[in-house]
Amino acid sequence: MSKNCGNIPVVNPGKPEESALIKILEGPCGETMRMPLGCVNDGDANCVPPSYIEALSQWIADGALE
C-alpha cells in the first residue's frame, strides 16, 4: 500500500488506474513526487519512457502475473 498516494496498492492487479506504481511514474501522486527523482517532463532523460509505463500498465491490466 502507498500511504502517500491515497492508500492504494502499489500494484492492483487488473486495475492500472488504481495502482500507485503507475500514478507515481506519471506523477505526482498525492504527496509523492513523480518518480524517479529528477524526472520533470516527459522526454526527460531521468523519466521512465512512456512506452515502459504503457507496458507496465498492460502487465497490471493483464493481472500482474509473474
Side-chain angles (χ1 to χ4, degrees):
M1 298 297 282
S2 175
K3 289 166 101 178
N4 292 341
C5 195
N7 281 330
I8 61 173
V10 174
V11 172
N12 191 351
K15 299 178 181 179
E17 68 282 355
E18 296 176 19
S19 296
L21 175 61
I22 301 303
K23 289 182 175 279
I24 290 168
L25 291 175
E26 294 176 337
C29 185
E31 297 176 20
T32 303
M33 294 175 24
R34 186 174 182 176
M35 294 290 170
L37 259 162
C39 173
V40 179
N41 298 311
D42 287 336
D44 187 344
N46 294 321
C47 296
V48 174
S51 61
Y52 287 26
I53 297 171
E54 186 177 321
L56 284 168
S57 292
Q58 188 60 56
W59 172 71
I60 294 170
D62 292 342
L65 304 173
E66 292 181 46

